Amino acid sequence: MQLAILILGNAFLLFLIQPILGKELLPRWGGGSHVWTTCLMFFQTNLLAGYLYAYLLSRSDSPRRECTIHTSLWALSLLLLPLMLQPPTPLGSATLDNRPTLAIVLDLVLRIGLPFLLLSSTSSLISSWYHRATQSPQPYYWYALSNLSSLLACLLYPTLFEPWMTLQHQKYLWAVGYLLLGISMIATSRKLSTAPAVHSLDLSPSDSTSVSASVPLWTGLAAASSIILSATTSYASQAGVIVPGLWVIPLAIYLGTWWMGFSLPALQTRSAQLFLFYSGAAVGIVLLIFKLWLPWLAIVIGCLAVIACTGLACHGLIYRLRPPPQALAKFYLWIGAGGALGSIFVSWIAPNWFNDLWELHAGLALGGALIGWYHANELFPKISTDPKVRRISWPIAVLCPTLLLGFLATLITIPSLETCIGKKRDFYGVVSVVENDQEELLAMLHGQIRHGTQPLSGDLDPDKTSYYQSNSGAALAFGWCHDKFSRPLKVGVVGLGTGSLSLYAKATDTMVYFEISPAIYEMAREHFAYLKSHSGTTQVLLGDGRMLLQKELASRSDQATRYDLLAIDAFSNDSLPIHLLTLEAIELYKQSITQGGVIAMNITNRNLDLAPVLFATAKQAGLKPLLVESKLHRDQPDSKLVRWLLLFDPSTPLPPWPGARDNLRPSSQTMNPKIWTDDFASPLHALRGF
């Protein structure tokens, strides 16, 4: 019972710290899903390091030496625990700033590397020690038990911890739990590792041969499920909300498939594995084909279904191929290797090798090929003796992966409905430029969402842009500033897009764009004419807008360098960069504008009603909010609303624009609005109808 409690507590802390640190890193690197996939890569790689450490330690001939090493590392990790409570490491190196993946990994290594490694090793190490010291023939249920506890941590974070606790309080609570666990682990490790050995950890020759033959399947299947997890999480969040509280839901489903795969005998059958994997693959193909037409909620549900079905199939087969308990540490090691390789593929290899999001295709192809090959190979000897195998089972096992690979290859090679004239991929996503002959527009897409349009011919027209039409809040803010200030304007824009806000600038105005994605800047410069259309001064500064504003304000605080209009429009795909919408961010914007200047925030979103939260947050910052709504397509009664929130100085009379509102309709969100801060913010506060 004591060991079960330790394993449960260990697994709970192991997966609770992941969204906590992921959320803390968001403001440093632009608040997108790329931060989470990089964090997943670190966590799964460190999980592999923990399994390797447990494997090497369990092979020692001296239990006392094992105990000394393990307890010493636990004691050291407790001494280093204050490092985890510190904020993300400030990086002054321009080299690291230009290599965000490496920078994120190094920060996590410094702050949580050793504690995470020790937590990762617990299940494998204790299981090996327990098997050596007892008569337990099958300790695999502990692995299922640890995944159940990890699942609980992932489900509780977005519902209990994130919406009601500050980030610092979350870290302190985790540190207390780790301290108590560390003390218990030191005592338990000494007891288990010094117990007399009952079972040897050496394998028989036949078992050793079987283990060697199974290693590629363990590793490949674990890699496939890891790739599918990371790819679908990124795919779903780019179409909606990007915050750790909702990222952990796919992770919870993934962990649940490990628990069920190791617990339910029905999932070890050939029919269940073939049906589940290829059903999940079919859903994945539907998502890839109809991604532009499906609503965000349908995409999210579909992605969760893909993770669940493919994970149950892969993990059920992994358990079916489990080795004798003597090889438990090696089993965990190769599973961890597969998970790490899959995560490295999504976070590091794919962004550098692929010009589009082909990760889900790769994960489905790998998993489908391995499951199909294994079952076809297993059935092959029975073809000549069993008519059912010859006529049904074996053809199905061969046909399923063949069809899947054919469909995936077709999806990659089939031309788009729109003519793509340019595509680039960087750390922040895929940016493409397409020609739509029907609408006679050139459009920039970030993932699936349009981030600006331009007529294919004729003059540049503000009313043919996406969110900056002449009746939009951004256009009204420009006109208001031109009327208020007799001098040339200095305008700052966080989020470049196509650069179409330059249409509202006069020749004497200065435009300063802040853009985090080099790919977006290259596309805007190469394919769109908006930046060149402004005959005045235009600057494009690469980096996170909030960080660049902070640096600019710290180095030059005089009024002459501040902005008369500051526009915030840095949504990545349709995702939500919360760090640009917190109280601290709005106070920074307030300091960055001139006396009487205005802040314009694009809060258009399909899934979130940001107005109540930002109304309350802006008032807390001492600003007067004004909500301006306009139709994206004026001639369509049910057209999507473009929403801009304009923030004015308290002494400034609000302009009497038709339809503009300085208050909100009563609702559950407006009656008790939350104020977002860097330390306390959750998308649940802004979900429509929450």
Side-chain angles (χ1 to χ4, degrees):
M1 184 64 180
Q2 179 185 3
L3 294 180
I5 293 174
L6 280 176
I7 288 179
L8 286 171
N10 177 92
F12 190 87
L13 293 178
L14 181 67
F15 279 84
L16 183 62
I17 193 60
Q18 297 184 29
I20 292 175
L21 294 184
K23 180 174 183 176
E24 191 175 37
L25 282 166
L26 280 175
R28 178 67 177 85
W29 298 106
S33 64
H34 46 274
V35 178
W36 180 239
T37 55
T38 303
C39 289
L40 274 181
M41 180 188 71
F42 166 79
F43 293 133
Q44 292 199 295
T45 304
N46 211 350
L47 189 68
L48 170 61
Y51 288 157
L52 178 61
Y53 162 75
Y55 173 73
L56 295 175
L57 199 61
S58 66
R59 306 308 299 174
S60 170
D61 295 330
S62 172
R64 188 175 298 276
R65 186 185 305 124
E66 295 177 29
C67 173
T68 301
I69 294 173
H70 196 58
T71 55
S72 297
L73 288 176
W74 267 99
L76 177 61
S77 74
L78 294 178
L79 293 175
L80 297 176
L81 195 56
L83 287 176
M84 190 276 298
L85 299 174
Q86 299 301 313
T89 306
L91 300 172
S93 169
T95 302
L96 287 180
D97 282 346
N98 294 328
R99 304 174 101 180
T101 300
L102 179 60
I104 290 172
V105 170
L106 288 177
D107 180 86
L108 291 171
V109 167
L110 291 174
R111 292 199 293 145
I112 199 66
L114 181 58
F116 198 91
L117 181 141
L118 293 173
L119 290 172
S120 301
S121 69
T122 296
S123 292
S124 176
L125 199 57
I126 287 185
S127 297
S128 297
W129 286 346
Y130 184 73
H131 172 71
R132 182 168 59 188
T134 69
Q135 300 292 329
S136 174
Q138 290 291 349
Y140 289 101
Y141 72 94
W142 273 354
Y143 187 77
L145 191 66
S146 67
N147 279 291
L148 180 61
S149 182
S150 302
L151 167 64
L152 182 64
C154 291
L155 293 177
L156 287 180
Y157 184 77
T159 56
L160 180 62
F161 293 98
E162 187 183 37
W164 315 114
M165 297 177 65
T166 67
L167 189 58
Q168 197 62 29
H169 286 158
Q170 295 171 28
K171 291 167 65 177
Y172 279 128
L173 182 64
W174 187 91
V176 171
Y178 185 82
L179 178 63
L180 295 175
L181 179 69
I183 295 171
S184 301
M185 285 296 302
I186 290 172
T188 304
S189 299
R190 294 181 63 86
K191 180 180 177 181
L192 277 179
S193 62
T194 56
V198 174
H199 284 208
S200 170
L201 292 180
D202 295 329
L203 290 168
S204 66
S206 60
D207 286 338
S208 180
T209 301
S210 176
V211 167
S212 298
S214 298
V215 165
L217 281 170
W218 297 340
T219 306
L221 290 167
S225 64
S226 175
I227 292 171
I228 292 170
L229 166 68
S230 297
T232 51
T233 302
S234 178
Y235 183 81
S237 59
Q238 285 181 9
V241 185
I242 295 188
V243 280
L246 296 182
W247 287 339
V248 294
I249 295 176
L251 181 59
I253 300 292
Y254 171 79
L255 293 170
T257 63
W258 280 106
W259 166 58
M260 296 176 68
F262 276 51
S263 302
L264 302 179
L267 295 176
Q268 281 95 61
T269 64
R270 178 179 61 255
S271 57
Q273 290 161 10
L274 291 174
F275 174 78
L276 284 169
F277 190 89
Y278 295 109
S279 295
V283 174
I285 289 174
V286 170
L287 293 176
L288 293 172
I289 294 175
F290 297 104
K291 59 186 177 183
L292 296 179
W293 294 276
L294 291 172
W296 175 71
L297 185 58
I299 291 176
V300 170
I301 293 173
C303 286
L304 295 180
V306 173
I307 295 171
C309 292
T310 58
L312 287 172
C314 290
H315 304 154
L317 182 53
I318 288 174
Y319 184 70
R320 179 175 176 171
L321 297 170
R322 66 193 181 280
Q326 294 93 321
L328 193 66
K330 181 180 287 188
F331 180 59
Y332 288 149
L333 175 62
W334 287 110
I335 289 176
L341 288 172
S343 192
I344 290 172
F345 173 80
V346 173
S347 297
W348 208 314
I349 297 176
N352 292 296
W353 285 13
F354 300 157
N355 71 343
D356 209 332
L357 298 174
W358 306 128
E359 291 92 308
L360 182 55
H361 304 67
L364 293 174
L366 176 61
L370 288 174
I371 289 177
W373 175 86
Y374 172 78
H375 288 297
N377 187 62
E378 184 185 47
L379 290 169
F380 186 76
K382 302 178 183 179
I383 289 179
S384 59
T385 59
D386 191 332
K388 182 180 178 182
V389 170
R390 183 171 57 253
R391 296 171 183 171
I392 301 175
S393 301
W394 191 81
I396 288 176
V398 173
L399 187 61
C400 285
T402 303
L403 289 176
L404 175 61
L405 294 175
F407 273 119
L408 293 173
T410 303
L411 287 178
I412 292 175
T413 57
I414 194 170
S416 171
L417 295 177
E418 297 177 307
T419 303
C420 182
I421 63 173
K423 182 180 292 186
K424 291 184 183 295
R425 181 173 182 177
D426 61 15
F427 182 72
Y428 303 97
V430 177
V431 183
S432 53
V433 177
V434 298
E435 288 184 355
N436 189 309
D437 295 329
Q438 183 177 359
E439 298 181 34
E440 298 184 344
L441 291 175
L442 188 68
M444 176 187 286
L445 302 179
H446 196 190
Q448 305 171 24
I449 304 300
R450 282 189 179 187
H451 277 244
T453 55
Q454 176 181 301
L456 287 176
S457 59
D459 297 333
L460 298 178
D461 184 356
D463 286 323
K464 291 190 177 181
T465 61
S466 294
Y467 301 100
Y468 305 138
Q469 298 180 20
S470 56
N471 63 335
S472 68
L476 295 174
F478 249 101
W480 185 85
C481 288
H482 278 132
D483 292 340
K484 178 178 177 62
F485 300 106
S486 56
R487 51 181 168 73
L489 298 181
K490 183 176 182 182
V491 180
V493 184
V494 178
L496 172 63
T498 59
S500 52
L501 265 182
S502 294
L503 292 178
Y504 293 106
K506 295 181 178 180
T508 54
D509 294 340
T510 297
M511 298 291 296
V512 181
Y513 289 95
F514 302 92
E515 177 53 54
I516 197 169
S517 170
I520 287 181
Y521 174 49
E522 292 179 27
M523 289 300 198
R525 185 181 57 187
E526 293 175 12
H527 298 284
F528 294 87
Y530 295 118
L531 291 177
K532 299 173 185 175
S533 70
H534 180 225
S535 57
T537 302
T538 299
Q539 291 180 277
V540 179
L541 305 178
L542 290 177
D544 179 72
R546 178 171 165 179
M547 293 184 62
L548 292 174
L549 284 171
Q550 285 176 326
K551 292 179 181 178
E552 190 174 69
L553 194 63
S555 61
R556 298 178 299 173
S557 59
D558 56 297
Q559 283 285 330
T561 63
R562 299 189 186 184
Y563 300 95
D564 303 301
L565 170 61
L566 183 60
I568 312 299
D569 185 18
F571 282 74
S572 173
N573 207 317
D574 199 31
S575 64
L576 173 65
I578 280 185
H579 76 292
L580 295 179
L581 306 176
T582 62
L583 177 62
E584 292 85 351
I586 292 177
E587 288 178 338
L588 171 66
Y589 306 151
K590 181 180 176 181
Q591 297 174 47
S592 300
I593 60 174
T594 56
Q595 184 68 35
V598 64
I599 302 166
M601 307 179 74
N602 185 355
I603 61 171
T604 309
N605 194 273
R606 292 181 295 176
N607 312 296
L608 304 176
D609 183 4
L610 298 172
V613 169
L614 291 180
F615 254 70
T617 306
K619 290 178 180 178
Q620 182 71 21
L623 296 169
K624 289 200 300 188
L626 184 68
L627 180 63
V628 179
E629 296 178 325
S630 58
K631 290 182 179 180
L632 184 60
H633 302 288
R634 300 185 191 185
D635 55 341
Q636 299 178 10
D638 57 346
S639 173
K640 171 184 177 181
L641 286 179
V642 176
R643 311 178 84 203
W644 283 85
L645 185 66
L646 308 186
L647 307 180
F648 295 87
D649 186 87
S651 61
T652 302
L654 294 178
W657 294 322
R661 293 183 283 137
D662 61 355
N663 53 41
L664 300 175
R665 300 182 184 93
S667 68
S668 59
Q669 291 170 310
T670 58
M671 296 299 291
N672 186 27
K674 304 293 184 181
I675 294 176
W676 279 353
T677 67
D678 288 346
D679 204 36
F680 180 73
S682 169
L684 293 179
H685 302 152
L687 281 174
R688 297 186 186 277
F690 181 77

